[in-house]
Amino acid sequence: MANSERINILFVDDEVKILEGLRARLRKQRRVWNMFFISSADSALELLDMGDRIDAVVCDLRMPKMDGACLFKIMKERYPQVVRIMLSGYGESQLIRLGFPYTHRFLAKPCDTKLLIEALNSVCRFVHNVPDERLRSLVGKVTDLQSPLLHVSLENRNDCSQELLINDQGFCAKLLKMVNSAFVRLPKSIGDIDEATKYIGNDSGLIMALQSDNIKELSLTKDVDLLESISRHGRISAIIASGLSVAHHSEAYVSGLMHNIGLLMIWFCGEPADIALLKKDVSRSTVSEEFLLHGVSQSQLGSSLLDLWGLPEIIVEAVRGQYSTHESTALNGIVRESSYLAQEWLCGKIDDTKIITEIGRINHKADSGAIVSDMKKYLQEYACEQ
Amino acid sequence: MTELEVFELQRQLAMYKSEVKRLRSEVQSKSYDVLQEKDHFSSILDLLPDAIFILENDQVINVNKRSVSIFGFSEQEFIDKSADEDIHMNFNDGEHKWRKKDGVDVPVWVSKEPIDALQDVVVVRDISQRKKIETQLIQTEKLVSMGQLAAGIAHEINTPVQFISDTVSFLEESYADMNGLIQRYKKHAELSFNADQSKDIENKEREIDLCFIMDETAPSFKRIQNGIERISKIVKSMRDFAHPDSGPMEYADLSEIIESTLTVSKSEYRYVANILKEFSDLPNILCHVGKLGQVLLNLIVNASHAIEGVSEQDAEMGTISIKTEQVNGMVCISVADTGGGIADDVMQYIFDPFFTTKHVGKGTGQGLALVYGVIVDQHHGTVDVKNIAGGVCFTLRFPMDGVKDGELNGQ
């Protein structure tokens, strides 16, 4: 961060000795960020009310009077641009469930300082890459990107329902957020949907936390066609990306699925003017340029969210760099190609045979025929939902 | 009297005689039936598991066989005892202690019901078995609440462990920084000091034993970190054990569960046995983490006790071998020990609830019953036990990915 000022981080915990220990431990980071320490949620809100700029709040879940979940709920309303990181101990599952929608990242206690520093670095990247506070507010407002249409269709069918659910962009992002958080306490980060569902298992508490309340989005005058075209593009890109990848099928799938999640975020949390701009762009027939909202690309918005939510770096970078001309990772290229191919195929500009050739050209080991039949199968299922 | 009247009287007499004979025969037959019934009921009373007393005017007139066998007194002795005004036999409803003929007290439950105005029937039940189970239940409840406390205690310990760890890291870094600064001071000072000043510094260095400090400080910090890690590990294992008993199955790392159990049970085996681990590289298995931990805990504790039981003073340490592997989609865990094995006549009872060969206070007899219940019923697996060289080996097998709903009704 050569030119920007240091970010400001507020630590909140009722145990003063914990705060003092943290301050000592993070001493070496003082050149990277400014740290402030406060011992109650009430005081934290007062500080925010005073108008000082705070970029992230790291807060203990269990606190007297106002707990962390309650604080973050209020902060999401009033100061959505502030990143919210929660520290929680074992056995607080009830509170964790309550806090899950409002928290960007859950870290387990006792806190692994390396993980905390990583999480705070993602905040640095966020502030650096999205300098516009209004856009950071947009990102901060996002809790749940699950398609409200999906909720409706789940009531009608029960056999393919799980299949549809775990392939929904929003649900998938939420699932990976949960699995990469203190809920599940894994030593490595998870970027594989199947593996993630295994870790959730039959835990009713976790399943409840994954429930979506987005049905109410339908009753607003929101453009459902726009949402559908974004979802379709994401899903088809995911199928193609997985096929194009030689080594990282599951991460490629997730990257493809998430590549346009920035658009989804705008649909859910943007101003009506923003959404109108988006609609105009999506109906354009070429996808050579990326959609920019107030100068920030949708890939930057999407990847920032995934970064804050703790998804693996390989996926975050694949989404962030999909339009970059100098490829930093192989996945960038795969995401870009699959997004392009998906768009062309969905508009009917290239047909099945052409796409089979294209896929074979990029990855000669790919089973192009199977990939295309998957794509068609998805469209059929999706169409039946209506 | 006329001849006809005499004849008539004779005829009637014969009729009455025959009638009497018939009635006598009927009475005999009925008497026999009554005696049969009396015998029948008497047998029933004798077969009942409880002691039955018949009282008339609050005195014993009759007892069943069981009264004699439980308490050791004969029927006559009971009758005499109740007639004796000095001895007060407590026939009131409720729980009492009665003394047997051999002087041992036995807890009983007494229940008295009137048969008619004069007679009562008293049922006296020996409740010593029930009392024993109640004691064990109380013990179990205590353990359960301790388990719940353990989770809370674990959480409380985490807070100071957290700030100790953070502070120590800071001190370690600061020491290294200060050390660097001192070296730099020395570098500049050495050039400008005169002989006296140098001597003064040397003396001070010797006084504080600078060499020792330099050598020992870094390892000291490592020791502290090591201690903190051990505390965290124990706390985590305790937490894993306070896993709620109900709840769904989940995927978990078997080696971690076993390590956790070994941490928690260390005090049981550390002086008597070495642990030999042979873990295969297994993917996560579907299981009930808390219960599986308890199963392993019971097996390890049993193994330790067995080894302790057969070892003599200053003998070599025994061995507890724990092996995991995967066979045909089933996970296979074996726990073997060098504790002398299980006697053949005892082998068939070891999984029975409350069966134990341990001394009072050492075991409640529920350990293996729990192992059986958890593995066979809840994990749809099998438990095998066989004596091997020098000890016994328990082998648990159950499906790695659980059982699909179609194959079994529910889980």
Side-chain angles (χ1 to χ4, degrees):
Chain A
M1 285 178 43
N3 55 339
S4 10
E5 349 163 320
R6 291 201 283 265
I7 61 170
N8 295 330
I9 304 177
L10 180 63
F11 294 87
V12 186
D13 195 321
D14 59 307
E15 289 263 6
V16 173
K17 290 201 172 45
I18 293 263
L19 292 174
E20 287 168 355
L22 265 177
R23 190 170 97 235
R25 182 72 173 87
L26 295 174
R27 171 178 89 103
K28 295 246 159 158
Q29 306 297 322
R30 68 194 182 285
R31 291 193 199 91
V32 185
W33 50 65
N34 298 322
M35 299 184 274
F36 304 93
F37 302 87
I38 214 158
S39 59
S40 79
D42 286 316
S43 319
L45 280 177
E46 271 173 36
L47 199 73
L48 288 163
D49 286 342
M50 288 201 300
D52 292 341
R53 176 177 140 185
I54 302 284
D55 297 297
V57 169
V58 178
C59 174
D60 189 34
L61 177 53
R62 263 251 175 99
M63 293 190 294
K65 282 202 271 174
M66 195 193 300
D67 62 49
C70 191
L71 172 64
F72 279 3
K73 186 169 177 186
I74 296 176
M75 277 176 57
K76 179 177 164 296
E77 266 322 287
R78 292 200 224 156
Y79 311 102
Q81 75 279 12
V82 180
V83 178
R84 303 174 288 277
I85 299 175
M86 187 96 80
L87 301 178
S88 67
Y90 188 86
E92 292 169 344
S93 49
Q94 190 77 329
L95 282 175
I96 291 177
R97 261 205 303 285
L98 290 174
F100 184 69
Y102 314 111
T103 308
H104 290 109
R105 193 96 78 110
F106 263 102
L107 294 174
K109 283 211 295 199
C111 180
D112 182 348
T113 325
K114 278 199 292 287
L115 273 182
L116 179 59
I117 293 178
E118 248 179 60
L120 292 172
N121 280 335
S122 75
V123 178
C124 291
R125 289 194 286 272
F126 181 46
V127 173
H128 178 62
N129 292 330
V130 186
D132 184 340
E133 194 180 280
R134 206 163 73 79
L135 289 172
R136 289 210 300 280
S137 295
L138 192 156
V139 175
K141 280 190 208 152
V142 174
T143 49
D144 186 358
L145 299 170
Q146 186 176 317
S147 166
L149 296 170
L150 193 65
H151 198 95
V152 176
S153 69
L154 279 178
E155 282 162 8
N156 302 333
R157 299 135 57 106
N158 52 18
D159 43 352
C160 324
S161 53
Q162 211 202 16
E163 176 84 19
L164 280 173
L165 192 63
I166 64 175
N167 287 308
D168 174 76
Q169 294 170 302
F171 183 81
C172 184
K174 203 165 39 171
L175 177 67
L176 289 174
K177 174 189 172 193
M178 178 181 278
V179 153
N180 282 305
S181 73
F183 273 115
V184 184
R185 295 162 179 269
L186 298 166
K188 56 185 171 99
S189 60
I190 303 287
D192 179 332
I193 300 178
D194 285 326
E195 208 179 335
T197 44
K198 261 194 176 173
Y199 284 113
I200 302 294
N202 289 327
D203 188 334
S204 53
L206 296 183
I207 292 177
M208 254 176 63
L210 287 172
Q211 298 296 357
S212 176
D213 200 22
N214 281 349
I215 188 85
K216 64 186 187 306
E217 300 287 328
L218 277 186
S219 57
L220 306 173
T221 48
K222 283 232 176 166
D223 190 339
V224 161
D225 286 332
L226 180 57
L227 174 67
E228 275 183 14
S229 80
I230 298 173
S231 301
R232 267 199 299 268
H233 191 190
R235 180 69 157 99
I236 300 290
S237 304
I239 298 175
I240 298 178
S242 170
L244 291 180
S245 162
V246 173
H248 297 114
H249 296 281
S250 24
E251 281 87 353
Y253 183 86
V254 172
S255 306
L257 194 63
M258 304 290 167
H259 87 278
N260 61 355
I261 208 163
L263 302 179
L264 210 61
M265 285 161 59
I266 297 171
W267 192 89
F268 274 94
C269 301
E271 308 282 312
D274 300 335
I275 300 177
L277 276 175
L278 176 61
K279 182 158 187 176
K280 245 177 44 184
D281 182 271
V282 166
S283 57
R284 274 191 301 136
S285 43
T286 55
V287 199
S288 53
E289 275 163 30
E290 183 169 23
F291 175 68
L292 296 176
L293 187 65
H294 308 294
V296 176
S297 67
Q298 70 88 17
S299 59
Q300 194 64 267
L301 289 176
S303 63
S304 293
L305 182 75
L306 300 178
D307 196 12
L308 290 175
W309 278 7
L311 267 70
E313 196 183 330
I314 190 176
I315 294 175
V316 170
E317 285 310 308
V319 172
R320 194 201 305 277
Q322 63 185 286
Y323 277 94
S324 70
T325 42
H326 49 277
E327 284 168 29
S328 43
T329 71
L331 269 188
N332 287 357
I334 288 177
V335 170
R336 184 170 60 245
E337 283 294 340
S338 55
S339 168
Y340 169 74
L341 287 173
Q343 181 76 338
E344 298 287 282
W345 186 76
L346 282 168
C347 313
K349 285 219 186 121
I350 52 177
D351 61 5
D352 296 350
T353 28
K354 181 86 200 295
I355 234 192
I356 288 178
T357 336
E358 281 300 301
I359 293 174
R361 180 180 65 80
I362 299 171
N363 177 13
H364 58 271
K365 287 197 202 141
D367 185 351
S368 324
I371 294 173
V372 174
S373 78
D374 271 343
M375 286 156 61
K376 290 164 78 148
K377 188 167 144 228
Y378 166 72
L379 277 191
Q380 256 183 322
E381 278 171 14
Y382 203 84
C384 292
E385 246 174 69
Q386 310 321 316
Chain B
M1 213 180 303
T2 64
E3 260 186 41
L4 198 63
E5 284 167 339
V6 168
F7 184 71
E8 183 60 28
L9 282 171
Q10 276 178 336
R11 195 182 63 80
Q12 280 187 355
L13 186 63
M15 215 174 66
Y16 290 134
K17 263 191 184 167
S18 145
E19 182 71 15
V20 166
K21 210 168 167 192
R22 190 185 67 76
L23 285 170
R24 183 180 291 159
S25 161
E26 228 185 277
V27 166
Q28 258 184 349
S29 163
K30 290 270 190 267
S31 284
Y32 183 72
D33 286 343
V34 168
L35 268 174
Q36 284 279 70
E37 280 223 26
K38 184 169 183 282
D39 268 345
H40 183 59
F41 277 113
S42 196
S43 313
I44 292 177
L45 278 183
D46 281 336
L47 286 172
L48 291 176
D50 300 325
I52 314 254
F53 297 81
I54 309 289
L55 306 180
E56 189 172 283
N57 292 321
D58 293 325
Q59 307 254 346
V60 174
I61 55 168
N62 220 328
V63 311
N64 72 345
K65 245 197 210 149
R66 194 64 73 145
S67 314
V68 175
S69 68
I70 293 179
F71 297 104
F73 298 106
S74 69
E75 185 175 35
Q76 189 56 48
E77 283 174 307
F78 272 121
I79 295 173
D80 292 338
K81 263 177 30 125
S82 72
D84 188 339
E85 279 173 4
D86 291 329
I87 302 177
H88 177 66
M89 286 186 77
N90 199 340
F91 288 122
N92 294 322
D93 283 342
E95 192 178 313
H96 306 294
K97 269 202 167 59
W98 278 21
R99 185 154 293 175
K100 302 199 287 185
K101 184 156 187 186
D102 60 12
V104 175
D105 281 342
V106 62
V108 296
W109 179 267
V110 175
S111 154
K112 184 163 106 172
E113 283 293 332
I115 304 174
D116 56 34
L118 292 172
Q119 293 195 342
D120 303 289
V121 61
V122 181
V123 178
V124 179
R125 171 166 295 177
D126 174 355
I127 54 171
S128 33
Q129 181 70 357
R130 186 178 92 186
K131 297 294 266 176
K132 191 166 143 204
I133 293 179
E134 274 174 14
T135 317
Q136 283 171 341
L137 259 177
I138 292 175
Q139 189 67 6
T140 309
E141 271 174 29
K142 266 200 219 154
L143 287 174
V144 165
S145 54
M146 258 175 66
Q148 289 166 339
L149 258 185
I153 291 173
H155 193 56
E156 290 299 311
I157 294 179
N158 273 338
T159 300
V161 162
Q162 171 81 63
F163 65 74
I164 291 174
S165 175
D166 285 344
T167 306
V168 163
S169 293
F170 164 70
L171 288 174
E172 197 177 357
E173 276 174 11
S174 304
Y175 169 78
D177 286 345
M178 296 283 271
N179 205 6
L181 182 63
I182 290 179
Q183 298 307 325
R184 199 165 289 190
Y185 281 152
K186 272 182 92 153
K187 202 173 76 167
H188 293 296
E190 258 149 29
L191 301 172
S192 49
F193 277 169
N194 62 32
D196 278 337
Q197 284 169 325
S198 297
K199 195 77 201 285
D200 187 36
I201 295 286
E202 261 177 54
N203 285 340
K204 188 66 183 173
E205 282 180 359
R206 218 173 309 131
E207 187 193 310
I208 66 170
D209 199 350
L210 182 67
C211 285
F212 186 85
I213 294 179
M214 303 279 280
D215 286 340
E216 290 299 315
T217 306
S220 296
F221 281 119
K222 288 269 169 307
R223 256 198 319 280
I224 298 180
Q225 294 291 16
N226 181 267
I228 292 175
E229 264 170 46
R230 271 169 67 172
I231 296 177
S232 295
K233 195 165 147 211
I234 294 172
V235 166
K236 180 175 183 302
S237 305
M238 264 170 68
R239 239 179 23 203
D240 289 343
F241 266 86
H243 231 93
D245 258 356
S246 56
M249 307 254 265
E250 48 188 297
Y251 277 94
D253 184 339
L254 181 60
S255 331
E256 247 185 60
I257 298 177
I258 299 179
E259 290 293 351
S260 208
T261 310
L262 286 170
T263 306
V264 159
S265 58
K266 195 151 186 191
S267 57
E268 296 285 327
Y269 61 76
R270 73 192 323 221
Y271 298 116
V272 300
N274 292 319
I275 306 285
L276 212 66
K277 295 183 273 196
E278 255 182 78
F279 295 164
S280 298
D281 200 8
L282 296 172
N284 286 354
I285 57 169
L286 187 67
C287 66
H288 198 291
V289 175
K291 292 238 150 86
L292 192 60
Q294 272 181 288
V295 160
L296 293 164
L297 179 67
N298 288 350
L299 291 176
I300 291 171
V301 167
N302 279 357
S304 313
H305 289 173
I307 293 175
E308 200 181 359
V310 301
S311 76
E312 296 130 13
Q313 190 78 315
D314 295 335
E316 276 184 19
M317 302 262 272
T319 312
I320 301 178
S321 317
I322 307 177
K323 189 165 138 162
T324 67
E325 58 182 348
Q326 178 183 191
V327 178
N328 292 337
M330 304 279 267
V331 60
C332 192
I333 309 170
S334 66
V335 179
D337 65 54
T338 54
I342 298 177
D344 286 327
D345 57 345
V346 160
M347 194 62 109
Q348 54 179 309
Y349 300 116
I350 58 173
F351 293 111
D352 289 350
F354 304 115
F355 176 83
T356 179
T357 57
K358 294 182 185 171
H359 293 304
V360 170
K362 192 95 171 168
T364 56
Q366 298 181 61
L368 287 178
L370 182 135
V371 169
Y372 195 86
V374 168
I375 299 295
V376 173
D377 298 331
Q378 293 180 15
H379 289 78
H380 310 291
T382 57
V383 179
D384 290 303
V385 51
K386 66 173 192 285
N387 284 322
I388 53 169
V392 77
C393 178
F394 282 85
T395 309
L396 316 170
R397 287 187 189 84
F398 56 91
M400 287 185 58
D401 291 300
V403 171
K404 298 283 176 291
D405 272 336
E407 293 163 28
L408 201 76
N409 293 335
Q411 270 183 338

